Amino acid sequence: MTKEFTKIAAFAQAHRGEDAVRLMLQRDRYPEVEMHLVAQQLEGLAQAEGKWPSWAACPEVCYPPKVNREQSSSEAAARYKASLVSGNEGADLTGGMGVDSYYMAHHTTQMHYCEQDPALCRLAAHNFAALGQTNILIHEGDSLKWLQGCDENHFDYLYIDPARRDSHGERVTTFEHCTPNLLECLPLLRSRCRRLMVKASPMLDLTLAMEQLGGVAEVHIVAVGGECKEMLLLICGEGPTEIVCVNLRPAGRDEHRFTLAEEQSAPYRAAACVQRYLYEPHAALMKGGCFRLLAQWYNVGALDPHSHLYTADTLQEDFPGRIFEVDGAIRLDRKTLRRQLPEGKAHVICRNYPVRADRLQQQLGLTEGGDRYLVATTHDGQRTGLLCRLVKSALR
């Protein structure tokens, strides 16, 4: 650990919970402390309590600027990712804040952290030491140039998370527009390891990603609390690609595995009418395209081939996603809603409906809140509104 970071961390811990802006205004009282770094630590500490709780519990840990924190995996996602790797030697080619490297090191004899930013390298080295992880080697500089100097099949696995912003700071999703260009460096990456893990944007077209990379054995689509966060592609050979849809929850996780061929060959189970319960799959299942199999596994009927909502008269408590109890169908006009929702509050959900949820909420004169949900969707080709109450969230 370095004295520089130890001093900043100690000062931030002493002022934990204080307002960072107010503390910055008092910088004249602490001339020996770089207050902008302390403010950065206070913001990082507040974020860490929810995103990296194990790091937040270590008082010596220091945090990078906001952009690096936002780009970093959450602890839950990093732990899951690390469970997919093992071996004597692995490398994280886009180290960043170091969260992925740290958790992967738990499953690897020797871990390599690579990062071009010298400041991030120093910070990562300090944090790894503070957290007691001693099997990580730091490599500052261009990771691809470093990799070129390694022997073929040297690593049991490589992990890469290309930067998904262009020179103007705008988000990009395709591999060829990321930094580095993944399609250009793919031959080098594959020649240096037995197993390659690529992190991609959840917005990337899954079929296109598999076609471009080739040899994708598994695709892991990871949601945290029902929100899709990461798409991980594991490249290590040929054969049918297995899709793994995971929702990480505080109490555990939902995990469903299937191939695209299995999904395509499954029979379509249509619901003749909207029944007592309405089921909404979590985002990872939506992204993975697990629709027909889901109806088969949980004995529910689909409202429409493109709505991706399901219904049943029985409560399937283990359904992976949100569950609603349907009060009834409702016309989507202000007059009707004023009678049913006199407080003018509801959570609006749109699935296979021509208007976005926020726009529909505005059109109907509703504000966000209350314990009722208004689901606008399509059932058997007809647009409909359903007034519901939440039975189970994706967090449970």
Side-chain angles (χ1 to χ4, degrees):
M1 293 184 287
T2 63
K3 290 183 178 179
E4 170 196 3
F5 291 124
T6 301
K7 179 180 178 181
I8 292 169
F11 190 90
Q13 287 289 337
H15 295 270
R16 191 168 185 166
E18 293 186 26
D19 182 78
V21 175
R22 180 177 297 179
L23 203 57
M24 283 285 288
L25 295 175
Q26 300 173 2
R27 68 183 70 189
D28 291 343
R29 295 176 54 189
Y30 311 103
E32 74 286 359
V33 179
E34 294 185 69
M35 293 303 292
H36 71 284
L37 293 179
V38 172
Q40 180 178 299
Q41 297 317 302
L42 292 175
E43 292 170 356
L45 277 168
Q47 186 178 11
E49 290 176 358
K51 193 170 183 179
W52 315 285
S54 295
W55 286 38
C58 179
E60 291 84 13
V61 165
C62 276
Y63 299 92
K66 180 179 179 180
V67 63
N68 303 114
R69 300 196 307 269
E70 294 296 332
Q71 291 172 351
S72 173
S73 300
S74 67
E75 179 175 331
R79 284 183 182 275
Y80 177 79
K81 198 177 305 167
S83 73
L84 305 178
V85 302
S86 62
N88 291 323
E89 202 152 8
D92 180 352
L93 300 176
T94 44
M97 182 174 164
V99 174
D100 288 323
S101 296
Y102 170 72
Y103 287 104
M104 287 181 181
H106 290 44
H107 300 261
T108 314
T109 305
Q110 182 70 73
M111 187 70 198
H112 298 266
Y113 161 99
C114 306
E115 173 56 52
Q116 294 193 82
D117 187 334
L120 284 176
C121 287
R122 291 195 301 273
L123 188 68
H126 168 84
N127 286 339
F128 296 153
L131 292 162
Q133 199 66 35
T134 59
N135 65 332
I136 306 177
L137 294 177
I138 307 288
H139 301 278
E140 180 186 321
D142 188 320
S143 61
L144 296 181
K145 290 182 179 179
W146 169 75
L147 196 61
Q148 286 173 340
C150 300
D151 297 332
E152 290 196 0
N153 288 325
H154 179 83
F155 297 96
D156 293 293
Y157 69 88
L158 294 174
Y159 168 69
I160 187 167
D161 176 13
R164 290 182 289 277
R165 290 190 182 273
D166 61 19
S167 57
H168 304 291
E170 298 295 324
R171 290 185 182 275
V172 297
T173 57
T174 56
F175 290 136
E176 58 267 35
H177 293 122
C178 290
T179 305
N181 181 329
L182 191 63
L183 301 185
E184 287 183 351
C185 65
L186 188 60
L188 171 65
L189 298 173
R190 295 192 66 169
S191 71
R192 295 301 190 268
C193 66
R194 299 174 184 84
R195 190 176 180 90
L196 172 65
M197 184 191 296
V198 176
K199 178 179 173 181
S201 166
M203 302 300 294
L204 184 64
D205 180 83
L206 178 56
T207 304
L208 176 62
M210 293 190 294
E211 289 176 355
Q212 287 185 315
L213 295 182
V216 178
E218 298 175 9
V219 177
H220 292 253
I221 302 170
V222 183
V224 180
E227 183 180 352
C228 198
K229 293 293 187 180
E230 300 184 356
M231 184 161 71
L232 307 169
L233 298 104
L234 276 61
I235 303 170
C236 58
E238 302 298 332
T241 304
E242 187 173 42
I243 312 297
V244 185
C245 299
V246 179
N247 182 37
L248 305 175
R249 300 174 286 108
R253 74 188 192 200
D254 303 312
E255 182 175 310
H256 296 80
R257 294 172 176 264
F258 62 98
T259 65
L260 295 180
E262 289 171 339
E263 167 65 21
Q264 291 162 3
S265 64
Y268 175 68
R269 296 168 58 102
C273 61
V274 178
Q275 297 176 300
R276 181 176 178 182
Y277 295 101
L278 188 71
Y279 298 87
E280 179 193 42
H282 61 67
L285 286 164
M286 293 275 205
K287 178 63 184 179
C290 184
F291 303 123
R292 295 186 172 205
L293 285 170
L294 200 61
Q296 181 178 301
W297 291 336
Y298 292 94
N299 194 29
V300 293
L303 294 191
D304 190 89
H306 304 291
S307 294
H308 309 318
L309 292 171
Y310 304 85
T311 188
D313 263 337
T314 55
L315 177 60
Q316 307 287 356
E317 291 189 80
D318 57 347
F319 184 89
R322 291 196 289 186
I323 304 175
F324 303 89
E325 187 167 10
V326 180
D327 290 337
I330 187 170
R331 290 184 59 183
L332 295 175
D333 62 59
R334 288 194 176 214
K335 185 176 180 180
T336 303
L337 285 167
R338 273 198 298 269
R339 291 197 302 267
Q340 295 291 328
L341 300 168
E343 294 181 356
K345 293 182 178 181
H347 307 279
V348 177
I349 299 170
C350 290
R351 291 283 182 270
N352 191 23
Y353 195 80
V355 180
R356 291 190 330 182
D358 56 347
R359 179 63 178 155
L360 181 61
Q361 191 175 53
Q362 184 182 41
Q363 289 175 353
L364 297 174
L366 297 172
T367 57
E368 186 72 16
D371 62 353
R372 308 295 287 279
Y373 284 75
L374 179 63
V375 180
T377 188
T378 299
H379 173 227
D380 196 23
Q382 301 296 315
R383 294 173 190 168
T384 187
L386 301 171
L387 203 55
C388 309
R389 298 178 189 273
L390 184 67
V391 175
K392 190 194 88 169
S393 76
L395 289 173
R396 284 172 49 193

